[in-house]
Amino acid sequence: MISFPKPLTLEEEQEYLQKMKAGDKEATDILIERNQRLVAHIAKKYYSENRDHEDLISIGTIGLIKAVQTYNPDKGNRLVTYASKCIENELLMMLRGEKKRSRDVYLEEPIGTDKEGNSINLIDVIVTDEMDALEQLEHAEDLVRVKQYVKTELSGREREVIESRFGLNGRKPMTQMMVGEQLGISRSYISRIEKSALEKLKKAFDNTYKK
């Protein structure tokens, strides 16, 4: 088990912050070192079998270093409060990167061949504005709100199409043609349903952020 030095007291923190402001590099190093326990505590929330705990601590430490370097005591928060947000943000960026890479791998997966025998990937059959819509959904910070709007703003058929197309609620993404075959309707009809549903979702998000 990794052991960490004791956190700084409020008085010690203020002392080292003053020294760091005066250009004392050792004080900067101490502020980082003595807040490692905070990094480990936050990193625990993101641990899983697929992620090494020490890697998470390394990523979180990057956030801690940024926090120490940019901390402004005049704003009234303690360093530990500000650092917690920076550490969390760094870990969340890492997780978003993992999710994007995972999705990119799936998009490159072959789903068939064309008439000439060339391999066709899923990304080959998804048009640009559909990718833009998926990007907005994937990067929405409040995923709970995404699921809420899919449930409350869309009809049953629209919800089925969107969940199938973009792999929501545990599904794998499907092409319009695949969704059409699943529902027994044409690809062009799926396209019209999808366009209408995405417009409803966009409107719902726009109204949310205007509030």
Side-chain angles (χ1 to χ4, degrees):
M1 180 181 293
I2 304 174
S3 61
F4 300 100
K6 290 176 60 176
L8 295 168
T9 64
L10 177 58
E11 291 74 19
E12 288 173 330
E13 180 181 292
Q14 291 175 341
E15 176 188 346
Y16 286 115
L17 283 170
Q18 290 176 355
K19 289 181 177 180
M20 181 182 73
K21 190 175 181 180
D24 188 335
K25 186 179 182 304
E26 184 179 355
T28 303
D29 293 340
I30 290 173
L31 286 165
I32 294 169
E33 180 184 352
R34 298 284 290 275
N35 279 287
Q36 282 292 313
R37 191 185 296 266
L38 174 65
V39 175
H41 175 71
I42 295 174
K44 279 182 182 179
K45 294 194 298 182
Y46 301 97
Y47 176 74
S48 73
E49 292 182 359
N50 299 323
R51 297 190 196 98
D52 184 80
H53 193 225
E54 291 188 17
D55 288 343
L56 290 172
I57 291 176
S58 296
I59 297 295
T61 300
I62 294 173
L64 172 60
I65 292 170
K66 290 179 180 179
V68 170
Q69 293 175 340
T70 60
Y71 174 65
N72 182 359
D74 295 335
K75 292 190 175 181
N77 291 330
R78 279 198 62 186
L79 173 61
V80 65
T81 304
Y82 178 67
S84 294
K85 294 179 181 179
C86 293
I87 294 164
E88 191 101 32
N89 286 342
E90 204 68 32
L91 288 165
L92 287 173
M93 282 197 300
M94 181 266 302
L95 293 177
R96 290 188 187 111
E98 281 184 359
K99 190 172 184 181
K100 184 176 186 301
R101 285 193 296 274
S102 176
R103 193 189 74 212
D104 289 344
V105 169
Y106 180 76
L107 290 174
E108 294 294 337
E109 181 179 334
I111 60 172
T113 57
D114 59 20
K115 294 180 180 179
E116 287 74 36
N118 299 313
S119 177
I120 299 176
N121 299 330
L122 180 58
I123 197 170
D124 296 327
V125 294
I126 300 180
V127 298
T128 304
D129 45 349
E130 290 168 354
M131 283 295 291
D132 290 342
L134 176 59
E135 196 77 5
Q136 290 175 22
L137 292 177
E138 286 289 337
H139 288 81
E141 291 189 3
D142 191 350
L143 294 180
V144 174
R145 187 173 289 137
V146 174
K147 293 179 180 179
Q148 174 191 340
Y149 287 155
V150 168
K151 184 177 180 180
T152 61
E153 303 296 323
L154 306 183
S155 68
R157 177 59 59 88
E158 289 171 336
R159 185 163 58 249
E160 179 73 18
V161 169
I162 291 299
E163 289 181 349
S164 297
R165 282 286 289 122
F166 298 124
L168 300 179
N169 291 330
R171 305 189 186 199
K172 285 189 176 181
M174 300 170 67
T175 65
Q176 290 179 350
M177 185 174 296
M178 292 164 69
V179 178
E181 291 176 353
Q182 176 178 281
L183 299 180
I185 53 182
S186 67
R187 189 206 63 80
S188 60
Y189 190 29
I190 291 293
S191 179
R192 290 197 296 273
I193 294 173
E194 180 181 318
K195 182 177 180 181
S196 173
L198 290 175
E199 287 174 353
K200 288 182 180 180
L201 291 175
K202 184 178 184 302
K203 183 177 180 180
F205 274 107
D206 289 344
N207 288 339
T208 297
Y209 293 122
K210 286 177 183 176
K211 293 178 181 179

